[in-house]
Amino acid sequence: MPETNASVAVADHPLTRSDVLEAKERLTGRVRRTPVVRSDELDRRAGARLWLKAENLQRGGSFKVRGALLAVERLVAGGSVGMVAQSTGNHAIAVALAARELGVPATLVLPEDAAPTKIRRIREAGAEVVLAGTVLAERIAVVEDLRDLRGYDVVDPYQNRDVVAGQGTATAELLEQVRAEGQRLDAVVLPVGGGSAVAGACLAAAGERVAVIAAEPSAVPALTEALRHGEPVNVPVGSTIADGLRPDRIGQLPFDTCREALTEVLTVDEAEIAETMCVALTHTRLLIEPAAATALAAALRLAVAPRWQGRNIGVLLSGGNVEERLVAALLTEYAAQ
């Protein structure tokens, strides 16, 4: 997506771990240092030690506020008059909160079938919601029109360097929190939609001897296909409850950042995602959305491999903005099994 000059942090070097550490300093006192949750039941089930970074308890209900605050702050400092962004939901909520905090208007473009809970949270933050199509290209076209019409700056969820570095601070915190318990992570598992979380994790984990593993729905294997083709490609979007992982193309910046550092990509089917949402709620008392459950499901599957038995595996529980009706339906089905 073309962006105005103010829309991207200074790009005179590739993103590095130093960018994540700088982002972490800039966010001090502005985001929650979310807890790392342990569960004896999950550890027994996995045969490994799982360290769950509960970003579902973050401001705005997801880790996305980390990158949005940094990006919007830089744009406002550069004289921006407003923000526009596309998202399947959580990035839009985060941009709305950041824009309100920094005193500028924001318009967020979501798919027509966006979760009502996420639309409501955006409007509660005082931002405008525009619904457009169901695939990424349709949202991007509307964002470009709004940018040209209103003179707003684009806060791209994948191509903005501040966003990627900011998302990496969640993994940086997780590594610190595990070290504070006298342990070190052997792997970290993250959900992947457009790629900012996994790219940020690769930066945060550089030099740490930590395997970075991405998890995506089998219905939308955007990163799997990008790696197979050697570049981001559009993929058909199948039906998935993981609405936060529906982008049909990985971002170029995240792809360039993570392609060499990434250890593995696991795809997760819908039944696994649904069951893991219920497992998380019953075993950890954490309400997580399907995107977060995708990462946890992948971690549970990963842990049974001999290589990972008894090891320390971190999981980014990316968000908790989930429809109550979906939770109720899944729990009812889970209880009947």
Side-chain angles (χ1 to χ4, degrees), residues 8-23 26 74 158-168 195-196 199-204 206 252-258 261:
V8 181
V10 176
D12 58 354
H13 65 84
L15 284 167
T16 68
R17 187 169 184 269
S18 295
D19 292 295
V20 174
L21 298 180
E22 178 186 347
R26 289 172 61 193
R74 192 183 298 274
Y158 324 127
Q159 296 301 102
N160 187 293
R161 291 165 57 88
D162 278 320
V163 168
V164 173
Q167 316 310 33
S196 62
C202 287
L203 297 171
Q252 187 70 54
L253 175 60
F255 181 74
D256 291 343
T257 302
C258 77

Side-chain angles (χ1 to χ4, degrees), residues 21-35:
L21 298 180
E22 178 186 347
K24 190 167 171 289
E25 287 298 313
R26 289 172 61 193
L27 288 172
T28 299
R30 301 175 66 190
V31 297
R32 294 174 186 146
R33 188 176 175 87
T34 53

Side-chain angles (χ1 to χ4, degrees), residues 11 24 33 38 81 96 117 124 140 146 152 163-164 176 200-201 216 246 259 262 287 291 310:
K24 190 167 171 289
R33 188 176 175 87
R38 299 292 311 284
V81 299
T117 294
E124 287 173 351
I140 288 176
L146 289 168
Y152 285 2
V163 168
V164 173
E176 284 183 357
E216 61 185 355
R246 281 177 48 191
R259 64 183 301 184
L262 193 63
L287 179 62

Side-chain angles (χ1 to χ4, degrees), residues 49-122:
R49 293 181 293 274
L50 299 182
W51 303 77
L52 311 180
K53 180 65 168 164
E55 285 290 292
N56 56 311
L57 304 179
Q58 185 56 263
R59 292 182 57 196
S62 85
F63 76 104
K64 295 282 189 175
V65 74
R66 295 172 178 272
L69 277 171
L70 299 181
V72 173
E73 178 183 59
R74 192 183 298 274
L75 293 170
V76 170
S80 181
V81 299
M83 306 295 148
V84 61
Q86 67 80 21
S87 168
T88 56
N90 282 340
H91 177 69
I93 294 169
V95 170
L97 291 172
R100 182 178 68 183
E101 183 173 310
L102 290 156
V104 293
T107 299
L108 289 314
V109 181
L110 275 71
E112 292 173 350
D113 56 354
T117 294
K118 294 179 178 179
I119 294 173
R120 183 176 68 249
R121 296 200 73 168
I122 294 163

